[in-house]
Amino acid sequence: MSTVTSADGTTIAFDAYGTGRPLILIDGATAHRAVNPLNAEIGKLLSDGFRTTVYDRRGRGESTDTTPYAIEREIEDLAALIEDAGQPAILVGESSGCLLALDAAAAGLPIAGLVLFEPPVVVDDSRPPLPADYVEQLERFIAEGRRDKAVELFMTAAIGMPAEAVAGMKQMPHWAPTEEVAHTISYDGRLMGTTMSGNPLPADRWAAVKVPVLVLHGDQTWPVLAAGAAAVAAHLPTATLKAIPGENHSTEPGTFAPVLRAFAADLT
């Protein structure tokens, strides 16, 4: 494990694989290195031509945290990682990590391109929108010490699982690690903003993104996520949309790594 220090003093823990073109993988909500080994596998598969950084977003795993949270702090975390890895970097976002990648590019970080896998975007009435006070509810549960309720809200309101299914998950091994990082779920809620409101994407949020963008979804994923990926690709003038055959909301490293390699090869 290695670390960098972000602008506000937060320690960001990461592993780096290989040498070559810098590539940084950004997890979605609740994920980090200890619970998501797939990113490390991707790094190993690309180690012959890339320096792949797999990191714990602030407040998760072996990274520390500094309050109050702001999206700008996570962008500063990426700036520190890019400085360590070399620039310009390719950012690869997964789920809500896609939105952080887009915000970082819009902020002007030295980025060569973006790969976005199934961003959490809902621009129609195909599913219920997130509650308008989603972030506030999450933060209230955390303040009250009710981490389980924050996870339940995330599972039902954001992911869309039935409440009875979530109740049955509490005895599963992954529940406790998710509760441990429950305070960070609101961070991803702030990143999403209105992207899951059922309304069109904000016209100006990513207007400054000029680098090539590859927007991906599995061709076996939920239709709402495929539609969201298409909406993001249509929103960004530099974007290309691609479906990955046989994949759903997660993708196997052996399938994903060649897609990343091909995207990098097309960059100037």
Side-chain angles (χ1 to χ4, degrees), residues 168-235:
M169 293 172 61
K170 291 188 175 183
Q171 307 307 315
M172 295 183 178
H174 68 266
W175 186 268
T178 304
E179 273 199 23
E180 287 177 6
V181 298
H183 60 288
T184 69
I185 297 173
S186 67
Y187 301 177
D188 290 81
R190 291 186 180 278
L191 278 165
M192 288 189 293
T194 61
T195 65
M196 292 185 66
S197 67
N199 296 313
L201 289 167
D204 59 345
R205 180 170 176 182
W206 301 308
V209 175
K210 306 299 183 185
V211 298
V213 181
L214 177 61
V215 187
L216 301 169
H217 67 87
D219 70 353
Q220 302 299 311
T221 197
W222 299 313
V224 66
L225 291 176
V232 171
H235 187 73

Side-chain angles (χ1 to χ4, degrees), residues 104-212:
L109 266 59
I111 293 167
L114 303 176
V115 179
L116 311 177
F117 183 75
E118 299 204 350
V121 168
V122 180
V123 294
D124 54 29
D125 61 358
S126 58
R127 56 150 283 168
L130 277 183
D133 63 344
Y134 174 69
V135 169
E136 289 76 12
Q137 288 190 59
L138 289 168
E139 293 179 343
R140 182 173 68 253
F141 287 140
I142 296 301
E144 295 170 351
R146 304 167 72 192
R147 288 176 170 263
D148 61 327
K149 300 300 291 184
V151 176
E152 287 177 18
L153 179 63
F154 167 62
M155 295 287 189
T156 54
I159 296 180
M161 296 182 64
E164 57 272 18
V166 174
M169 293 172 61
K170 291 188 175 183
Q171 307 307 315
M172 295 183 178
H174 68 266
W175 186 268
T178 304
E179 273 199 23
E180 287 177 6
V181 298
H183 60 288
T184 69
I185 297 173
S186 67
Y187 301 177
D188 290 81
R190 291 186 180 278
L191 278 165
M192 288 189 293
T194 61
T195 65
M196 292 185 66
S197 67
N199 296 313
L201 289 167
D204 59 345
R205 180 170 176 182
W206 301 308
V209 175
K210 306 299 183 185
V211 298

Side-chain angles (χ1 to χ4, degrees), residues 5 8-9 83 96 99 104 108 136 147 151 163 165 170 227 237 251 257 266:
T5 302
D8 68 349
E83 183 177 359
S96 52
L99 309 181
E136 289 76 12
R147 288 176 170 263
V151 176
K170 291 188 175 183
T251 182
D266 287 340

Side-chain angles (χ1 to χ4, degrees), residues 21-25 50 88-92 110-115 260 263-264 267:
R21 191 163 202 168
L23 186 150
I24 299 174
L25 299 174
F50 297 83
I90 299 169
L91 301 187
V92 181
I111 293 167
L114 303 176
V115 179
L260 301 180
F263 174 75
L267 295 178

